[in-house]
Amino acid sequence: MKITFPHMGNVYIAAKFLLDGLGIDYVIPPLNNKEALEIGTLYSPEEICLPFKIMLGNYIQSIRQGADTVILTGSCGPCRFGEYGELQMKLLNKIGHNLDFIVFDMPSDIGFDELKRRIKKITDASPKKKHEKYMALMNAYKIITLIDDLEAKAHKLAGYEINKGDCKKILNECKKELLRTNNPKRAIEILKEYHIKMDNVQIEKNRNPLKVAIIGEIYTIIEPFSNLYIEDKLMELGVHSKRTLSPSWWFYNTVILSPFGLTAKKIRKSAKDYLPYGVGGHGQECIGESILAHEEGFDGAIQIFPLGCMPEIVSKSILPSVSRDKNFPILSLVVDEMTGEAGYQTRLEAFIDLLERRRNHVLSRS
Amino acid sequence: MYCLGVDVGSVSTDIVVIDENNNVIESLYLRTKGRPIKAILEGFKIIKEKVESKDIYAAGTTGSGRNIAAFLIGGDVVKNEITAHAVAALSIDKDVRTIIEIGGQDSKIITLNDGIITDFAMNTVCAAGTGSFLDRQAERLEIAIEEFGDYALRSENPVRIAGRCAVFAESDMIHKQQLGFSVEDIVGGLCEALVRNYLNNVGKGKEIKEKVFFQGGVAANKGMKRAFEKALNIEVVVPEHYNMMGAIGAAILARETVEKAGRTYFKGFEIAEENYVTASFECNGCPNMCEVAVLKCDNRIIGYFGDRCGKYSNKMAV
């Protein structure tokens, strides 16, 4: 069994060390690029959302490197993500690739026995002892938390750094170095070293950078290729950005907290004046986060979602009311394989300008 | 002291020189024709005869070609079209609340309050309602684009044209022509369809309040102005330099920047004598495979664009 998995932000780092720890053979698809998207678009239904297309490209690139099994998380929720696994399996089958898909779904949807059977499929392939398998899982969780935290730190400190580009450089170096080792323990050491490096970036504490929250559909905000590297762009513009949704957030809220009905409790509570019901995906969270960002003193929020994303269309139509009521600017960006970078960049720059001018205006009047 | 503003758009390249009171001293409207560098240099040759380089206090660029233009001329400020248009409109009238801007490729709406931008939107998935589309239809109907608006004004019963997107609008329009409707009514209907499309796509969810400014090349079209007034039921103002607003805004912003920085990077109109070329290559340094463009002047590299990691663009000293 040679396992592969689709890209989504830093997930590949955690997945790599999990499989390293389990001693299972794997292929990491090449980091997302134009080619993956082109391949994916060629074989996907036209109207399907962008993540589907990129993921399909990932699989095909991995197949070329010998992968035969795909691990995927599932969802039987009211959004198209629920049918990704089935549809992708059928599409790959149709073009002559017979891949085994192992989809992790909620036990409430597929039952505990089925989930156990699916997990067993993977663990059976591992030659390790039971406690070693457990350790591999714990280490992978530690790693994803550390890398997500490091990234969040970089996005925050970029607004304060004295030497422009320091934070971005440290973050990129860290990711490169992680790929050079196969030892989860060593990976944790590396991450801790880079946390120290990041903490020691020269910063100007008194600077008051613009603060922007990134909200929207989870894949398109986490996977930098799909959002045309918006966080890198914000770092370059010296903006302090924040994104609540991350792989570790997802794992903690969806896997650990959901059996107790506690997923994203605070965020969902904040959304209740505008959207009291779950609409699938993270539509409700999107509204809640925009309100929280306003309460936390952020200057604005940017919503990103793939074209045709149902939950996010619902929240997009609600966001103007939030924006008006709270006097809080929100920019919505829609991405798909047709998105042109020039127009995207113009909107982003104009939005940052708008926030800056607003702030100067408010300050000059007070 | 004068300030220079350059707006390199998809269809036109506008160059303006303004004085301290934002009066337009010189203005040039050139067709970009897909060659922004050539258009700028040509413009500089013309302006050089009237204004001396030493009189230029600051220079700014905007439009989709703003980055390359800034490298070329030594821009003090590189601004997006939205901010530039808003700044220019506010320099004319502090009370403007809504700006409708339709250019060659993009259409935008900008809403303002108390002299600051509060919201904006650009056309997203569809390009209908832009200058290039009108240009193409004028050509197909064999009407000079300048007369397009007059045809629309003569229309008594504008035809209803389905304007979801440029391609569908065109095919519906052709269908109406085959049925024998008059050119006037078709042109009039087209203007109304574009306005409908603009209000339903770009202006969706935005409050349109008076005063409304109509800017960009398409504002020359009287038919469009009338169609907007009819649909919105409010007066739409087309400012005097409606097609130069981006360049005027860039010039004003450049002045603000130089006042703070205390120096200008402007290279002078003499660059018009030099030879510039752009080459490109695909970088294979990482899976990103960026298309990198290089701007050269007689084998001397002026700038790199398009690499995401900064491998090339960080190397050069501007």
Side-chain angles (χ1 to χ4, degrees), chain B residues 113-191:
Chain B
N113 195 4
D114 285 341
I116 48 161
I117 308 174
T118 53
D119 203 1
F120 66 84
M122 270 168 96
N123 54 330
T124 46
V125 277
C126 166
T130 56
S132 298
F133 177 62
L134 285 174
D135 233 18
R136 150 119 190 87
Q137 297 318 317
E139 197 181 308
R140 221 170 50 77
L141 294 166
E142 292 195 325
I143 304 174
I145 184 73
E146 293 79 17
E147 290 166 28
F148 211 73
D150 297 322
Y151 272 85
L153 291 185
R154 283 201 298 272
S155 154
E156 273 163 22
N157 293 305
V159 179
R160 188 168 174 100
I161 291 168
R164 182 183 299 282
C165 100
V167 176
F168 291 126
E170 181 159 6
S171 62
D172 194 41
M173 211 181 110
I174 291 170
H175 171 69
K176 299 278 154 64
Q177 283 163 359
Q178 318 288 42
L179 293 178
F181 285 96
S182 76
V183 177
E184 280 82 3
D185 285 347
I186 285 173
V187 170
L190 186 62
C191 289

Side-chain angles (χ1 to χ4, degrees), chain A residues 33-34 229 232 347 353 357, chain B residues 83 123 253 287 289 308:
Chain A
N33 59 27
K34 284 179 286 185
Y229 306 93
D232 283 1
R347 285 175 180 84
D353 259 354
R357 284 176 172 263
Chain B
T83 310
N123 54 330
L253 287 162
M289 299 190 294
R308 211 180 60 71

Side-chain angles (χ1 to χ4, degrees), chain B residues 80-98:
Chain B
N80 60 81
E81 305 89 291
I82 293 163
T83 310
H85 270 275
V87 165
L90 287 169
S91 77
I92 296 172
D93 192 336
K94 285 267 169 268
D95 297 327
V96 55
R97 294 291 303 273
T98 309

Side-chain angles (χ1 to χ4, degrees), chain B residues 4-8 13-17 28 30 36-53 56 58-61 69-75 266-274 276:
Chain B
L4 180 78
V6 180
D7 180 352
V8 185
T13 297
D14 315 323
I15 304 177
V16 296
V17 177
L28 263 185
L30 302 154
I37 299 177
K38 205 177 148 209
I40 298 169
L41 297 181
E42 253 172 42
F44 270 27
K45 266 180 208 154
I46 303 168
I47 294 252
K48 200 170 68 163
E49 306 297 315
K50 298 168 186 166
V51 184
E52 278 190 68
S53 298
I56 300 294
T61 64
F71 271 113
L72 194 65
I73 69 165
F266 183 54
K267 291 180 186 168
F269 294 117
E270 289 69 32
I271 59 161
E273 312 301 329
E274 290 178 77
Y276 290 90

Side-chain angles (χ1 to χ4, degrees), chain A residues 231-250:
Chain A
E231 282 168 334
D232 283 1
K233 286 181 172 132
L234 289 172
M235 282 166 94
E236 277 160 28
L237 292 168
V239 174
H240 158 184
S241 67
K242 178 195 88 164
R243 150 165 66 79
T244 308
L245 268 54
S246 66
S248 53
W249 178 92
W250 180 87

